[in-house]
Amino acid sequence: MDTILVVNAGSSSVKFQVFGLAGPTGLKQLIKGEIDGIGARPRLRAADADGGSLIDQTYTVEDVPDVATAIAKAGAWLRETQKLSPVAVGHRVVHGGPEYGGPILINDDVVAKLNRYIPLAPLHQPNNLAPIRSIRSRFPELPQVACFDTAFHRGHNAVADHFAIPERLYAEGVRRYGFHGLSYEYVAGHLREVAPQIADGRVIVAHLGSGASMCALLNGRSVESTMGFTALDGLPMGTRPGQIDPGILLYLMTEKGMSVEAVQKFLYSECGLKGLSGISNDMRELLASSDGRATLAINHFTYRVGLHAGMLAAALGGLDAFVFTAGIGEKSAPIRERIAARLAWLGVELDPAANAAGGTSIGRATSRVALLVVPTNEELMIARHTLAILSAAHAGSTTLKRSA
């Protein structure tokens, strides 16, 4: 069976999935795996479609010092033990800049352009590009497809897209992009299956994880997002502050003498839940803590979600449904409960039993706003885009051959 490999590379982990091609448009998940702890305690784990363990192996830091080495290890395991040679590889790339509004077949020019957006996503973009370069060096003929977190938001109108700055900067690409687009795209499509009655309505999706944002959907399309030019804006996150007064950054540089590099590290690594609590960037640890600083961080997080929900509801002109997704959104009933309480003014009524059980619908029958939990699947979205690009390229080459 022909297969597609999907790679989702982060700062200290590489997630991957293998999908079999079941017909011209069908995809079947075969393997799901991850190498995490890169640079610290590297560990490769993978399971088959039924959840059965295929490998659970640890490495030394010297064996897997970086993301490129991690993808090489995972690739070697897939080839040597699973006998898989994918026909294409799809990648999550966080920032597509102003040039890329959809998935694209990767070549040298694309890689060079994506390299220019590293300053806009310094935590993510270098790690997204590392496996692309690694695979291109080893298998230059293997098609690779870049799928962008910014692409789903490219339909925003000019009012939503602009900052209140001179137009020349917008022309250079300084604009509101929005992120987590692959997650929102999947959820928007999946809503048509699990809740077709609201899929075309006014929906807020909250992607709550270590990275967190919210998106306003109207008729299944993104019309507004809490994130903007970079993945720093909007909600507080594990180690990122979310919305912050730009004057604070000027203060840090002029009064505290911090360099640009120091401010960047501060914003991406020392703020958010970690900075506010002084304890951890992990919501599970904060919920388990009796420390008042942990309580403050949790309350701040849920408060800001509630504030931004009001903003997005205003952009939509009302609200028909609120959807939780991603790690915290899918797995933390206590956080869902606290956020639902802050949304009561919008007509949200949580069903505590349904919330604890973790089903799809967690709102009461009397709730004016549907309340849902929809697990995201960015990797499946990437696989779908990769298959579409591959099919289009094949059709184009066939047409050319027939024309010749």
Side-chain angles (χ1 to χ4, degrees), residues 354-392:
N355 184 46
T360 299
S361 177
I362 60 171
R364 292 187 185 276
T366 53
S367 181
R368 296 198 305 273
V369 174
L371 204 55
L372 302 144
V373 179
V374 178
T376 192
N377 195 332
E378 294 167 314
E379 287 79 15
L380 178 56
M381 203 70 245
I382 294 168
R384 288 173 177 169
H385 285 311
T386 302
L387 178 57
I389 291 287
L390 205 62
S391 299

Side-chain angles (χ1 to χ4, degrees), residues 29-32 46-54 82:
Q29 185 197 72
L30 303 177
I31 296 173
K32 181 177 183 179
D48 60 24
D50 297 320
S53 178
L54 296 172
Q82 304 303 302

Side-chain angles (χ1 to χ4, degrees), residues 258-266:
M258 292 176 68
S259 66
V260 172
E261 292 76 14
V263 170
Q264 177 172 286
K265 181 183 177 184
F266 173 77

Side-chain angles (χ1 to χ4, degrees), residues 315-333:
L316 290 167
L319 189 62
D320 299 312
F322 189 96
V323 179
F324 293 96
T325 195
I328 296 171
E330 294 170 23
K331 298 175 183 177
S332 182

